[in-house]
Amino acid sequence: SFKTKEIKLRKGDFTYGVKQDDQFDPFAWLGKEDVDNSKYQLKKETTTMLLTAIGHATTTQEHNVDICERVFKLIKMTCPDATMELCYPEFFDETKS
């Protein structure tokens, strides 16, 4: 987290981000090194953020939503005007493309 040195994605890394116009722009990736994309890191002037609860094979969607809601309650303690919108991801399997 909070690295400024660019690190290349490696085959097999777990990534999450957005895909636009056939280009994938990762928010972060987990692998040999866990890295947040520096252009999406929180800064003093940040007004929007994405909170992810990745979970694993045995966590339920309800569990992951609960984690996000608990974190949001903590955020509201210092940012009372904050709002939250739940987004449910679409999964991309490169082996099927």
Side-chain angles (χ1 to χ4, degrees), residues 8-23:
K8 301 277 186 209
L9 286 170
R10 296 183 179 112
K11 186 174 179 78
D13 284 353
F14 174 82
T15 62
Y16 55 96
V18 292
K19 185 176 180 184
Q20 294 178 342
D21 302 322
D22 290 329
Q23 287 287 97

Side-chain angles (χ1 to χ4, degrees), residues 32-43:
K32 187 173 181 181
E33 280 192 73
D34 298 341
V35 181
D36 293 329
N37 188 334
S38 60
K39 75 180 189 181
Y40 295 113
Q41 292 173 353
L42 298 179
K43 299 173 180 68

Side-chain angles (χ1 to χ4, degrees), residues 68-84:
C68 291
E69 288 174 339
R70 283 188 275 158
V71 170
F72 180 67
K73 285 180 185 177
L74 294 172
I75 292 168
K76 290 281 285 183
M77 294 170 95
T78 56
C79 302
D81 294 335
T83 60
M84 180 173 110

Side-chain angles (χ1 to χ4, degrees), residues 53-68:
I54 299 168
H56 52 75
T58 62
T59 56
T60 64
Q61 185 170 341
E62 291 88 8
H63 174 79
N64 293 341
V65 168
D66 183 55
I67 289 170
C68 291

Side-chain angles (χ1 to χ4, degrees), residues 81-93:
D81 294 335
T83 60
M84 180 173 110
E85 177 182 346
L86 288 173
C87 302
Y88 298 91
E90 292 181 32
F91 295 95
F92 173 71
D93 184 350

